[in-house]
Amino acid sequence: MRGNNSMNNKKNKRQNNKQITKIEDLNWKQINKLNRKKTIFYQPISPLEIHGPHLPIGTDLFTSKDTAAEAIKKLQEKKPELNYILLPAIPIGYCKFATDFPGSISINSKTVRDVIYSVGSSLAEHDFRYLIICTYHMAIPHLKGIYQAMKKLQKKYNMKICEPWGPYFYSDKIEKNEPKLGFDTSKEMHAGFRETSLMKYQYPYLVDESYKNLQNIYRDLNSPRVIGKKFKDLGLKDGYVGSPSKADVNYGRWFFNETVKVYVKSTLDLYDGKKQDELPKKIKAAMKALFWS
Ligand SMILES: [Zn+2]
């Protein structure tokens, strides 16, 4: 029995370590050999943005690429007949409101749109059809750029393309599914309990210990009243919203795996031609009302 178990463990380990295919490692002949109907690309994209005095500016970028990579590992086991190709993470996105701290790099939303469109059309010109956009940055102008590009790609190339995290994040599903904690996590808007937990799970050595002493600070960053304002205008002198001191590595693990699950489900639905979850109406309306910035 013991022998068997250890053999199974070894086998599982080998499967889990199965390499992820990164596009930059391939030559064009290898790419050309990929079955167009069975190849799915992943494009992680999120800006470098300050996340309080305790988390790295790469928090959103790390999360988008790590969850994409983990989803690919899961899918390779679940549906090994498809090819999953990871594109290099693009460190851009709109985060103007956070640029009153050094380290935030905001790229306007039209540029985000043009970059996503360029990536998608370059693939589509060679008849690749499946593309998953992985972003962990949920600012409306950033999403506007992504969704406009997706619309254009669907129209021009009939591309099967989706951004899975936005519709999940802006629904009430996190609060419904998460472990019960006894406080309102929907107020954890930026570098608070959720993201600090996430980074404690993924990159504990990049979390500054000072998070334990940070005061709880709450602001509604989705309120129309904050449009055009930067963090410091809202009294956020350290650049976070929520309660980072409550951070918990187990919650971080749950949150990470939940994101992975959403990517896995969206990929399978996209491949099967099922309808994707959409952004809620109020988010779509906000996106529409927004001028390009
Ligand atoms: Zn973030």
Side-chain angles (χ1 to χ4, degrees):
M1 274 308 276
R2 193 174 287 167
N4 248 346
N5 270 344
S6 89
M7 249 169 59
N8 279 342
N9 282 343
K10 260 187 202 152
K11 199 175 151 205
N12 282 339
K13 217 172 187 179
R14 211 176 304 138
Q15 272 177 349
N16 288 338
N17 288 340
K18 194 180 166 199
Q19 250 191 339
I20 288 171
T21 310
K22 297 179 184 168
I23 195 168
E24 62 269 36
D25 293 342
L26 304 177
N27 60 50
W28 74 260
K29 286 205 157 187
Q30 291 168 317
I31 296 169
N32 204 30
K33 266 188 207 148
L34 294 167
N35 183 337
R36 305 306 196 255
K37 289 189 179 120
K38 292 190 167 187
T39 301
I40 301 176
F41 291 90
Y42 291 79
Q43 177 61 73
I45 178 170
S46 282
L48 300 175
E49 181 192 27
I50 65 110
H51 275 73
H54 60 300
L55 300 181
I57 59 166
T59 294
D60 290 358
L61 187 69
F62 291 149
T63 305
S64 29
K65 75 179 165 68
D66 294 348
T67 48
E70 191 60 31
I72 291 177
K73 282 188 197 164
K74 292 257 158 25
L75 284 157
Q76 284 178 158
E77 284 174 32
K78 233 183 162 102
K79 215 174 172 59
E81 64 271 30
L82 301 185
N83 308 307
Y84 307 95
I85 313 281
L86 186 62
L87 295 158
I90 303 178
I92 68 165
Y94 178 92
C95 63
K96 193 99 199 164
F97 43 83
T99 52
D100 49 356
F101 292 87
S104 294
I105 296 181
S106 183
I107 306 291
N108 69 52
S109 42
K110 264 191 176 166
T111 305
V112 172
R113 178 196 66 187
D114 293 347
V115 167
I116 291 295
Y117 182 76
S118 303
V119 170
S121 58
S122 302
L123 295 170
E125 290 286 348
H126 292 279
D127 299 323
F128 289 108
R129 282 295 171 270
Y130 297 102
L131 179 60
I132 317 270
I133 308 296
C134 304
T135 186
Y136 192 66
H137 182 70
M138 289 287 114
I140 309 265
H142 175 71
L143 289 179
K144 176 167 179 156
I146 292 174
Y147 277 78
Q148 286 280 325
M150 296 200 313
K151 212 167 140 189
K152 252 175 103 179
L153 289 164
Q154 280 160 344
K155 220 171 147 189
K156 178 148 187 209
Y157 298 100
N158 193 23
M159 223 177 173
K160 312 293 176 216
I161 179 167
C162 66
E163 181 284 303
W165 187 241
Y168 186 89
F169 177 85
Y170 280 115
S171 71
D172 53 2
K173 284 184 186 154
I174 301 179
E175 286 88 39
K176 264 190 192 151
N177 296 343
E178 72 189 353
K180 294 299 157 243
L181 296 151
F183 64 96
D184 182 3
T185 55
S186 69
K187 289 178 172 174
E188 304 294 325
M189 292 223 158
H190 183 72
F193 164 74
R194 281 181 183 156
E195 285 186 303
T196 308
S197 300
L198 200 52
M199 292 312 280
K200 266 175 70 84
Y201 170 59
Q202 297 179 89
Y203 296 93
Y205 54 93
L206 295 180
V207 178
D208 193 282
E209 287 297 297
S210 64
Y211 83 88
K212 292 175 185 159
N213 304 315
L214 294 173
Q215 305 278 325
N216 304 346
I217 298 176
Y218 302 108
R219 295 285 184 286
D220 181 5
L221 297 182
N222 293 325
S223 151
R225 277 180 303 159
V226 311
I227 288 176
K229 298 215 167 95
K230 295 194 177 180
F231 277 168
K232 284 179 191 170
D233 300 330
L234 302 169
L236 303 168
K237 64 178 179 41
D238 284 320
Y240 67 90
V241 180
S243 43
S245 65
K246 292 184 181 144
D248 166 19
V249 68
N250 292 320
Y251 183 89
R253 181 182 303 113
W254 175 82
F255 203 73
F256 183 89
N257 289 328
E258 189 69 5
T259 314
V260 172
K261 258 197 226 163
V262 171
Y263 284 153
V264 168
K265 183 178 183 295
S266 276
T267 303
L268 296 173
D269 286 351
L270 191 75
Y271 188 73
D272 293 339
K274 283 188 198 154
K275 215 171 159 294
Q276 295 284 321
D277 286 344
E278 285 186 38
L279 288 169
K281 275 197 186 116
K282 66 167 199 232
I283 301 296
K284 282 193 192 167
M287 237 156 70
K288 220 172 189 174
L290 207 72
F291 289 110
W292 286 104
S293 44

